[in-house]
Amino acid sequence: MTIFKNDWEKTEEVYKLPIHIIENIIIQAFPETNYSYQIIPGGCSNINIKLNLEGINNPYLLRIYIHNKQAMYKEKNISKLLKNKIPIPIFFHSGICDGYHFAINNYISGITLRELLLKNNTNNIDDIMYQVGKILSIITSIKFKNNGFFDKDLNISEETNKDNIITFFKNSLNLIDTKKLIDSELIHNINIYFDKNVKFIPNNNTESSLVHGDFDPANIMVDNINGKWIVSGVLDWEFSFSGTILWDIANMLRYSFKT
């Protein structure tokens, strides 16, 4: 069984991107600059590359958007909203090269909280989770006029309600990829369970706070500073939307039975 997305890595897809495209992007962002780079494994939707430039001590992160090109704009706007509020990637440069949307961010050091929890070798885990909770409280303090899904400029393009949540759920279970991973009997039982509990989905969700959308240990970076682990960054905001904090709490707790 997957633990903290431990089997979700798509590193085999990373190497299908031609090297000359990666180099063209770097040259466009930093012309006439000597560089070296290292592809970072573990991305599920995008390609992340650690980029070192000659004469600059701190590395950058080159992020190439593969599945959702508009996510680059959304993440850039989220970064502006939360800059200096929580540890989050800061955009230094963004653009389009050879048809690929990309961004240059500061490189956030450390390992994922997922890795740390699986190693189970820290003595201040309660303190780390307190930091995570505090960060989540700051995220949810950002309010919007309505709930719903963002366009690239963080305008609400589609409001969320009980009907489209139900539709999304039913459609997800009918996807070909879902049926490849889950047998028909289990899908049938999931449907029964959902229908039995659908009454608990609120009819009118009036909460309109910023929601990360994929808030779990795989997207939270931690670093050991002077012998103490701290949260160094919250990554991957492409699924963010306006709604209730309960979405992010549920995401964080969905693996709790494995810890």
Side-chain angles (χ1 to χ4, degrees), residues 41 56 66 101 109 123 130-131 134 136 152 182 193-194 202 206 214 223 227 237 239 259:
I56 299 178
I66 301 300
H101 288 59
S109 60
N123 58 4
Y130 175 81
Q131 293 176 48
K134 189 173 181 179
L136 185 55
K152 66 185 183 70
I182 306 177
Y193 183 83
F194 182 83
T206 58
D214 198 13
D223 199 8
W237 292 81
F239 301 113
T259 59

Side-chain angles (χ1 to χ4, degrees), residues 195-241:
D195 292 339
K196 181 180 178 181
N197 294 279
V198 72
K199 59 187 177 184
F200 294 111
I201 298 176
N203 286 314
N204 295 305
N205 179 16
T206 58
E207 294 187 60
S208 55
S209 299
L210 177 61
V211 177
H212 180 281
D214 198 13
F215 194 77
D216 69 33
N219 289 323
I220 298 172
M221 296 292 292
V222 295
D223 199 8
N224 194 314
I225 306 297
N226 298 324
K228 184 178 180 180
W229 289 95
I230 65 166
V231 176
S232 56
V234 181
L235 312 179
D236 294 351
W237 292 81
E238 61 189 297
F239 301 113
S240 59
F241 60 96

Side-chain angles (χ1 to χ4, degrees), residues 11-23 25 37 39 47 49 62 64-66 97-98 100:
T11 53
E12 72 278 3
E13 294 183 9
V14 168
Y15 297 102
K16 290 180 181 178
L17 187 64
I19 295 299
H20 77 271
I21 291 179
I22 295 176
E23 294 179 344
I25 291 173
Y37 66 87
I39 297 173
I47 296 174
I49 299 171
L62 167 61
I64 305 174
Y65 294 81
I66 301 300
C97 181
D98 292 331
Y100 289 92

